[in-house]
C-alpha cells in the first residue's frame, strides 16, 4: 500500500478527521450541567460583560488559536479551495496541541477577496486568543496579515511567511558561527521571491544581515532596480530590488556566502555551488525536493558546506513546527496583543542556543540513534525535542513583556515549571524534587563513570546546579569521552586504579572480614569494582549519595551498597519504589524491585519508607495494602499478611498518615467504591501509596500501568538505606540519571 492510500485510510478511519472537542470540567450530574450551561453560566457572562478581559479567566479563549485559510496556496497543491484545505488545517491543529498544548479551531473561508477575508477574521476576534493565517497566496497574504495586525488586538501570525524565516534564521546564526562568518558581511542569495522568501529576507536583516548584501531571484532572474522601474515586479519584490546588472540565478550565486532556496526542485547545479565563496551555507528548502540534493551539494566542494533542507531524511531540517506552536504559547501566556519582530528574533536566538546543548537520549532514539552534536550536521534542534517548549516560549514571553505588547506579567523561572507540567505530571513532580536539590546540592558518586550517559548526566547535573557529580572510573577515558561529546566542562573524576585508596580497602575489609572477604580481595574490589568503591566512598562520607546499575543487573548492582552501607538503623529492609504519574493523579508503588515474599513486618516497614518518599515530592501519603480480597472477604495466609501489616501501622503512634487494608486495587483508587461500599475505611480519599503483597505483583502491576494505563514512571527509587543509594535500570536515559540524582540529593538533605 502506497503513502497516498495509507494517508486516506488514516484520515477516514472512524471517527473521520484528526481532531475532536472534549470537555475540561465535570458533566456527570445535574448540578454540573447547570453550572456548565443554564442557569449557572449567567454569572461569568455578566462578569465578562463588565470587563471583557475576564474572558481569559472564565473561558478557553486564552488557549485557543484560530487556524484560518482560504485554500489558495496549500502545501505544494496550490489553489485547491477552502474545503479541500481542511485536512491541512486540522493537521496544523494537531501540531499546536501535540507540541504546545494549544487548542485550535480550524476555520476554512470560501473567500478570495482580501477585504472579505479581513472583515470575517476580524469579526471572530472575541473567540480566539490568537490567529494563525495559513496557505493564503501571495501577494494578498502580505496585505491581509498587515491589516489584521493593525485592526485586531490579539496576535496574528502568517506562518508561511514567518515560520521558515525564524527557523532558517536560527540555522543561519549557527552556520555563520561554525564557518567563522559575520552576518553583516555575508552575501546572501535567494532563489524564489514569494511570501516566504520576502519574509525571510526581511528577518535576516533583523538578525543583522545587510539589505544591500541580499540578492533575490525570481523565475525571471535577479530582481533589479531596472526591472522594478519597468513594472516587472510587484511592490513586495521591489523592496529587494538591487542596482546591479541583470542576470540569472547562476550569476547571482557567484561569490555568494549563502544560498536560500525557496523555489523549485533541481534548479541549482554543482557548478553553481562551486562558484560560491569559501565554506558556503546552502539552505535548499523547496519541498518535497530541494533546489539541489544534499549529497550533490556536499560533493561539489572540498571545504565545509553547511546544508539544510526541508526534508526529514537529511540533517538540518528546517521545519516550521519548531516555531509557531511555541511562539503562540509564549504570546498567549502573557496575553500579547501582537507577535512583533523582537518576539520572532527571541525565538530564533533561543533555537540557535538550544542546538548547542546536549541532546536528550529520547530525541536521539527518535531519529534513529544518529549522532546529534552541534556542528555542520546539527545546527538547529529536532522538532521532537521537548526542550524547544521550555526555551522558545519563555524567550517569546519575555520579549513580549520587554516590548510592551504583553497584557500580563509572569516570572520566567516559574513559567518554565508550568510549561513542564503541560508535558506531563512526571515533569511537574520531578520539578518539586529538583528545586529542593538545587537549594543545597550534594556530592553524588556515579559508579559507572566511564559510561557516556553518566558523563552527560554529570554535565547536566553541574549545569543545572542539581548536584556535584563525581565520576568513578578511568580518568583518561572519561576526559576523552567528555571531549568527544563536546561537553564544555572539567568533570570531577576519581580513578580507583590510579590513586592511593588503601584506606578504602581497609574499610571494606573491616566491614566484610567476618563475612568471607580477605584483605587482598578487598583491595582488588576497591581497585576493580566501582560499585564497591562508590559504596565505601559514601559510607565514609566522601560522597553524600551514589548511583549505579546502568550497566549491571539490578541484584548485582544492589549487593555492594547493601553490604557496605546497609539499611538505616531503624530499618531492616530496603525496597524499590516507582512513582507513576497520570494526567491528574500520582501514585507510589512498592515494592517493585527488592523483596520477593515480604511478611507483615516487611510490608509495614516498606509502607513507612514509601510514605517518607512521597513527602519528598510534596505529596501527603494515603496508603493502601493491596490484595485480591477486601477487608477479610478471603482469609488465608496470603491475605492475612497485608491485613496484619495495616493493623500494625494503624496501631503505631509514629505513623501520621492514613493507612488501611487489605483491599483490592480498584477499592484503593476508586472513590465511589471506597466511600460507597466500605465507608468504614480509614481512607477518606483514594490511596496514593500502593503497597503490593509481593515483588511479583508489584513488578507486574507497575509495568501494566505504565504500558497499558499510559502512566509515566520515575524510578526505581531505593528506600530504607542508611545513606542515599539508587540503582538505575539497565538502559535508562540521561534524564533518568539526572532525576534519580536529584532524588538522592534530597535524600541526603533530609538525612542531615
Amino acid at each position: 500500500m502506497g503513502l497516498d492510500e495509507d494517508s486516506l485510510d488514516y484520515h477516514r478511519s472512524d471517527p473521520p478527521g484528526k481532531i475532536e472537542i472534549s470537555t475540561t470540567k465535570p458533566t456527570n450530574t445535574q448540578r454540573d450541567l447547570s453550572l456548565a450551561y443554564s442557569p449557572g453560566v449567567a454569572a461569568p457572562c455578566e462578569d465578562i460583560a463588565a470587563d471583557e478581559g475576564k474572558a481569559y479567566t472564565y473561558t478557553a479563549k486564552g488557549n485557543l488559536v484560530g487556524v484560518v485559510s482560504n485554500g489558495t496556496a496549500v502545501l505544494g497543491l496550490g489553489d485547491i479551495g477552502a474545503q479541500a484545505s481542511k485536512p491541512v488545517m486540522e493537521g496544523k491543529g494537531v501540531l499546536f496541541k501535540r507540541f504546545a498544548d494549544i487548542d485550535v479551531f480550524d476555520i476554512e473561508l470560501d473567500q478570495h477577496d482580501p477585504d472579505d477575508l479581513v472583515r470575517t477574521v476580524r469579526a471572530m476576534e472575541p473567540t480566539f486568543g490568537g490567529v494563525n493565517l495559513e496557505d493564503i497566496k501571495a501577494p494578498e497574504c502580505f496585505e491581509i496579515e498587515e491589516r489584521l495586525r493593525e485592526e485586531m488586538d490579539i496576535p496574528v501570525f502568517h506562518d508561511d511567511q514567518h515560520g521558515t524565516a525564524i527557523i532558517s534564521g536560527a540555522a543561519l546564526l549557527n552556520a555563520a558561527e561554525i564557518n567563522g562568518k559575520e552576518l553583516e558581511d555575508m552575501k546572501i542569495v535567494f532563489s524564489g521571491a514569494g511570501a516566504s522568501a520576502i519574509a525571510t529576507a526581511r528577518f535576516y536583516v533583523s538578525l543583522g544581515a545587510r539589505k544591500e548584501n541580499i540578492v533575490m531571484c525570481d523565475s525571471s532572474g535577479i530582481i533589479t532596480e531596472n526591472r522594478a522601474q519597468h513594472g516587472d515586479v510587484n511592490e513586495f519584490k521591489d523592496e529587494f530590488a538591487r542596482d546591479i546588472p541583470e542576470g540569472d540565478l547562476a550569476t547571482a550565486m557567484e561569490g555568494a556566502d549563502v544560498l536560500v532556496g525557496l523555489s523549485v526542485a533541481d534548479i541549482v547545479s554543482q557548478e553553481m555551488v562551486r562558484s560560491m565563496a569559501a565554506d558556503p551555507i546552502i539552505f535548499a528548502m523547496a519541498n518535497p525536493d530541494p533546489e539541489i540534493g544534499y549529497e550533490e551539494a556536499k560533493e561539489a566542494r572540498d571545504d565545509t558546506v553547511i546544508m539544510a533542507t526541508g526534508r526529514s531524511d537529511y540533517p538540518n531540517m528546517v521545519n516550521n513546527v519548531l516555531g509557531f506552536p511555541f511562539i503562540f504559547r509564549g504570546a498567549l501566556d502573557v496575553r500579547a496583543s501582537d507577535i512583533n519582530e523582537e518576539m520572532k528574533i527571541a525565538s530564533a536566538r533561543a533555537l540557535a542556543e538550544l542546538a548547542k546543548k546536549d541532546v536528550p537520549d529520547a530525541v536521539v532514539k527518535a531519529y534513529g540513534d544518529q549522532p546529534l552534536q552541534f556542528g555542520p550536521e546539527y545546527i538547529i534542534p529536532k522538532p521532537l525535542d521537548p526542550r524547544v517548549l521550555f526555551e522558545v516560549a519563555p524567550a517569546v514571553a519575555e520579549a513580549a513583556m520587554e516590548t510592551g505588547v504583553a497584557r500580563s506579567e509572569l516570572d520566567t523561572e516559574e513559567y518554565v515549571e508550568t510549561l513542564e507540567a503541560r508535558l506531563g505530571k512526571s515533569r511537574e513532580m520531578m520539578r518539586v524534587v529538583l528545586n529542593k536539590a538545587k537549594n543545597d546540592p550534594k556530592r553524588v558518586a556515579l559508579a559507572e563513570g566511564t559510561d557516556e550517559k553518566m558523563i552527560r548526566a554529570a554535565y547536566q547535573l553541574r549545569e543545572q546546579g542539581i548536584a556535584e557529580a563525581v565520576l568513578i572510573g578511568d580518568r583518561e577515558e572519561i576526559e576523552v569521552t567528555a571531549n568527544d561529546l563536546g561537553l564544555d566542562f572539567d568533570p570531577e573524576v576519581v580513578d580507583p586504579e590510579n590513586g592511593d585508596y588503601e584506606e578504602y580497602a581497609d574499610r571494606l575489609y573491616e566491614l566484610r572480614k567476618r563475612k568471607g572477604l580477605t584483605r587482598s580481595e578487598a583491595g582488588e574490589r576497591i581497585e576493580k569494582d566501582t560499585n564497591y568503591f562508590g559504596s565505601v566512598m559514601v559510607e565514609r562520607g566522601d560522597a553524600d549519595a551514589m548511583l549505579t546499575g546502568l550497566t549491571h543487573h539490578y541484584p548485582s548492582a544492589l549487593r555492594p551498597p547493601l553490604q557496605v552501607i546497609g539499611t538505616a538503623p531503624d530499618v531492616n529492609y530496603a525496597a524499590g519504589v516507582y512513582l507513576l504519574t497520570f494526567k491528574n493523579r500520582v501514585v507510589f508503588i512498592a515494592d517493585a524491585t527488592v523483596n520477593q515474599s515480604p511478611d507483615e513486618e516487611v510490608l509495614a516497614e516498606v509502607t513507612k519508607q514509601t510514605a517518607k518518599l512521597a513527602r519528598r515530592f510534596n505529596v501527603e501519603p494515603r496508603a493502601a495494602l493491596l490484595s485480591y480480597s477486601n477487608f477479610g472477604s478471603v482469609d488465608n495466609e496470603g491475605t492475612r499478611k497485608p491485613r496484619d501489616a495495616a493493623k500494625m501501622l494503624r496501631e503505631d503512634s509514629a505513623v501520621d498518615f492514613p493507612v488501611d487494608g487489605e483491599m483490592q486495587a480498584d477499592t484503593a483508587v476508586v472513590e465511589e467504591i471506597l466511600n460507597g461500599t466500605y465507608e468504614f475505611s480509614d481512607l477518606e480519599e483514594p490511596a496514593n501509596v500502593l503497597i503490593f503483597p509481593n515483588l511479583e505483583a508489584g513488578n507486574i502491576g507497575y509495568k501494566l500501568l505504565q504500558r497499558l494505563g499510559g502512566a509515566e514512571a520515575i524510578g526505581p527509587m531505593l528506600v530504607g538505606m542508611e545513606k542515599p543509594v539508587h540503582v538505575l535500570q539497565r538502559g535508562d536515559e540521561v534524564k533518568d540519571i539526572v532525576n534519580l540524582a536529584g532524588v538522592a540529593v534530597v535524600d541526603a538533605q533530609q538525612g542531615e
Side-chain angles (χ1 to χ4, degrees):
M1 187 180 293
L3 180 62
D4 287 351
E5 192 58 36
D6 282 346
S7 179
L8 293 174
D9 279 348
Y10 174 85
H11 283 81
R12 68 189 168 208
S13 61
D14 194 46
K18 300 186 284 283
I19 58 175
E20 67 177 6
I21 294 175
S22 62
T23 59
T24 60
K25 299 294 188 297
T27 56
N28 300 317
T29 67
Q30 178 58 41
R31 177 170 172 76
D32 291 340
L33 296 177
S34 69
L35 292 172
Y37 195 53
S38 181
V41 76
C45 290
E46 290 170 346
D47 268 12
I48 295 170
D51 177 3
E52 290 192 350
K54 291 286 184 68
Y56 288 93
T57 303
Y58 294 124
T59 76
K61 177 185 174 84
N63 196 51
L64 185 62
V65 166
V67 173
V68 178
S69 180
N70 62 2
T72 53
V74 177
L75 297 173
L77 304 176
D79 187 352
I80 60 173
Q83 190 71 77
S85 75
K86 189 169 178 64
V88 180
M89 303 313 129
E90 283 189 359
K92 193 81 171 190
V94 169
L95 298 179
F96 266 109
K97 189 65 177 178
R98 162 64 177 80
F99 289 100
D101 194 26
I102 293 173
D103 297 317
V104 162
F105 287 161
D106 59 291
I107 309 292
E108 294 76 32
L109 299 175
D110 191 11
Q111 296 175 325
H112 283 65
D113 183 84
D115 290 334
D116 292 339
L117 200 147
V118 167
R119 190 179 306 112
T120 302
V121 176
R122 186 181 61 209
M124 291 189 287
E125 180 171 347
T127 303
F128 300 113
V131 169
N132 181 99
L133 299 174
E134 192 77 14
D135 293 348
I136 301 172
K137 69 182 180 73
E140 289 91 335
C141 62
F142 294 106
E143 176 192 349
I144 290 167
E145 186 196 42
E146 186 175 343
R147 287 177 57 186
L148 287 173
R149 287 183 64 190
E150 290 175 355
E151 297 176 25
M152 298 179 75
D153 202 28
I154 58 175
V156 177
F157 184 83
H158 184 208
D159 187 45
D160 299 313
Q161 287 185 55
H162 307 296
T164 300
I166 292 167
I167 312 310
S168 69
L172 183 64
L173 290 171
N174 281 338
E177 179 180 327
I178 292 167
N179 279 358
K181 300 187 178 187
E182 298 292 334
L183 260 65
E184 62 182 14
D185 298 328
M186 293 194 298
K187 177 184 176 182
I188 303 173
V189 174
F190 278 80
S191 174
S196 183
I198 291 169
T200 300
R202 289 172 175 171
F203 188 66
Y204 287 3
V205 172
S206 296
L207 289 177
R210 290 180 178 172
K211 189 175 179 181
E212 56 267 28
N213 289 343
I214 294 176
V215 178
M216 188 169 288
C217 301
D218 61 12
S219 57
S220 299
I222 299 172
I223 297 173
T224 63
E225 289 188 359
N226 183 57
R227 287 182 60 194
Q229 290 169 1
H230 287 82
D232 190 30
V233 297
N234 62 40
E235 60 180 300
F236 302 102
K237 294 181 182 181
D238 181 52
E239 181 180 344
F240 289 95
R242 292 282 307 281
D243 186 14
I244 57 177
E246 294 184 10
D248 57 12
L249 179 60
T251 304
M253 285 179 61
E254 292 176 6
D257 296 285
V258 182
L259 170 67
V260 181
L262 291 162
S263 53
V264 295
D266 304 323
I267 199 174
V268 175
S269 68
Q270 288 186 316
E271 186 61 36
M272 293 161 73
V273 171
R274 282 191 283 269
S275 76
M276 296 178 71
D279 300 323
I281 299 166
I282 300 174
F283 295 165
M285 297 179 287
N287 258 327
D289 299 309
E291 285 78 1
I292 181 171
Y294 182 86
E295 292 89 353
E296 290 83 356
K298 289 288 215 177
E299 292 168 0
R301 308 177 58 117
D302 295 328
D303 56 0
T304 302
V305 178
I306 296 183
M307 179 79 170
T309 70
R311 294 177 58 123
S312 61
D313 51 349
Y314 292 114
N316 301 325
M317 179 188 185
V318 177
N319 190 324
N320 285 17
V321 79
L322 279 168
F324 67 84
F326 316 107
I327 293 169
F328 268 98
R329 181 75 274 157
L332 291 173
D333 290 339
V334 292
R335 299 185 186 177
S337 59
D338 188 21
I339 295 174
N340 58 31
E341 200 70 5
E342 290 83 359
M343 294 160 73
K344 298 171 196 171
I345 292 171
S347 64
R349 295 196 180 280
L351 283 171
E353 285 302 310
L354 179 57
K356 300 174 185 178
K357 299 182 179 181
D358 188 43
V359 181
D361 293 336
V363 178
V364 176
K365 288 180 181 178
Y367 291 92
D369 289 320
Q370 58 180 297
L372 297 177
Q373 184 176 326
F374 182 63
E377 305 295 288
Y378 181 69
I379 57 175
I380 44 176
K382 294 291 188 180
L384 291 178
D385 191 332
R387 300 172 303 165
V388 178
L389 176 62
F390 313 138
E391 299 290 336
V392 174
V396 170
E398 193 166 351
M401 291 186 289
E402 290 174 353
T403 56
V405 298
R407 284 174 289 202
S408 66
E409 298 285 319
L410 51 78
D411 179 285
T412 51
E413 288 190 12
E414 293 178 0
Y415 180 44
V416 170
E417 296 182 18
T418 65
L419 292 173
E420 286 190 332
R422 287 185 178 276
L423 292 189
K425 196 74 175 173
S426 65
R427 286 181 176 271
E428 181 182 352
M429 298 303 298
M430 276 313 308
R431 181 54 53 189
V432 171
V433 169
L434 295 180
N435 283 343
K436 289 181 179 180
K438 290 177 182 179
N439 288 332
D440 185 15
K442 301 296 181 183
R443 286 170 60 81
V444 178
L446 305 180
E448 298 145 307
T450 58
D451 188 273
E452 176 184 309
K453 291 180 181 178
M454 285 294 194
I455 296 169
R456 290 169 54 206
Y459 173 75
Q460 291 188 24
L461 290 167
R462 179 180 295 185
E463 284 290 293
Q464 297 177 39
I466 296 168
E468 300 170 18
V470 182
L471 294 164
I472 304 175
D474 183 274
R475 181 181 302 277
E476 184 177 349
E477 183 180 348
I478 290 170
E479 290 176 349
V480 168
T481 302
N483 184 65
D484 290 344
L485 291 169
L487 303 177
D488 185 20
F489 85 127
D490 183 19
E492 182 177 353
V493 178
V494 174
D495 188 342
E497 293 192 58
N498 294 286
D500 182 8
Y501 295 106
E502 289 299 311
E503 292 181 358
Y504 278 36
D506 291 342
R507 182 56 179 159
L508 179 59
Y509 175 61
E510 181 67 25
L511 291 168
R512 303 296 298 173
K513 65 185 179 182
R514 291 189 177 274
K515 297 184 180 176
L517 191 72
T518 67
R519 175 60 179 78
S520 62
E521 289 173 334
E524 186 175 347
R525 289 188 183 181
I526 288 297
E527 184 177 333
K528 301 296 185 183
D529 192 328
T530 56
N531 283 328
Y532 277 102
F533 187 98
S535 297
V536 174
M537 191 177 187
V538 172
E539 195 272 340
R540 283 169 48 92
D542 295 337
D544 300 300
M546 170 183 164
L547 262 62
T548 186
L550 195 63
T551 59
H552 296 78
H553 288 293
Y554 195 92
S556 62
L558 179 59
R559 189 176 301 112
L562 277 176
Q563 290 179 352
V564 174
I565 299 170
T567 57
D570 58 341
V571 176
N572 294 315
Y573 300 92
V577 182
Y578 276 93
L579 167 59
L580 297 184
T581 66
F582 302 84
K583 186 174 182 180
N584 297 309
R585 173 181 294 195
V586 300
V587 295
F588 294 82
I589 284 184
D591 176 7
T593 61
V594 179
N595 298 291
Q596 289 191 352
S597 299
D599 60 21
E600 55 269 27
E601 290 185 357
V602 176
L603 289 173
E605 202 165 84
V606 168
T607 304
K608 288 192 282 187
Q609 295 303 317
T610 306
K612 286 182 182 179
L613 178 67
R615 283 177 168 153
R616 286 172 206 157
F617 285 85
N618 289 358
V619 173
E620 276 303 307
R622 301 183 299 274
L625 286 99
L626 304 182
S627 183
Y628 64 91
S629 61
N630 278 315
F631 305 106
S633 60
V634 175
D635 187 29
N636 58 37
E637 183 182 358
T639 61
R640 281 195 292 271
K641 289 179 183 179
R643 187 184 316 148
D644 291 345
K647 184 174 183 291
M648 291 170 59
L649 289 163
R650 288 197 302 272
E651 293 174 351
D652 188 339
S653 60
V655 173
D656 60 350
F657 55 88
V659 57
D660 212 339
E662 90 285 15
M663 66 179 74
Q664 294 177 354
D666 55 349
T667 302
V669 299
V670 178
E671 187 169 6
E672 289 80 2
I673 301 176
L674 187 65
N675 293 333
T677 307
Y678 304 104
E679 71 282 353
F680 56 81
S681 172
D682 285 356
L683 295 179
E684 296 180 358
E685 298 179 62
N688 53 25
V689 170
L690 304 179
I691 307 301
F692 282 75
N694 53 50
L695 178 60
E696 187 175 29
N699 197 269
I700 292 170
Y702 104 78
K703 288 186 175 179
L704 283 174
L705 286 169
Q706 182 184 16
R707 300 302 181 184
L708 299 182
E712 293 184 60
I714 298 171
M717 293 170 278
L718 199 60
V719 297
M721 296 292 289
E722 165 69 4
K723 293 188 177 181
V725 175
H726 290 294
V727 180
L728 299 152
Q729 297 277 42
R730 297 180 75 179
D732 271 354
E733 298 179 358
V734 173
K735 70 176 179 65
D736 301 312
I737 303 171
V738 172
N739 285 343
L740 279 184
V743 174
V745 170
V746 176
D747 289 346
Q749 291 171 350
Q750 301 219 340
E752 292 179 342

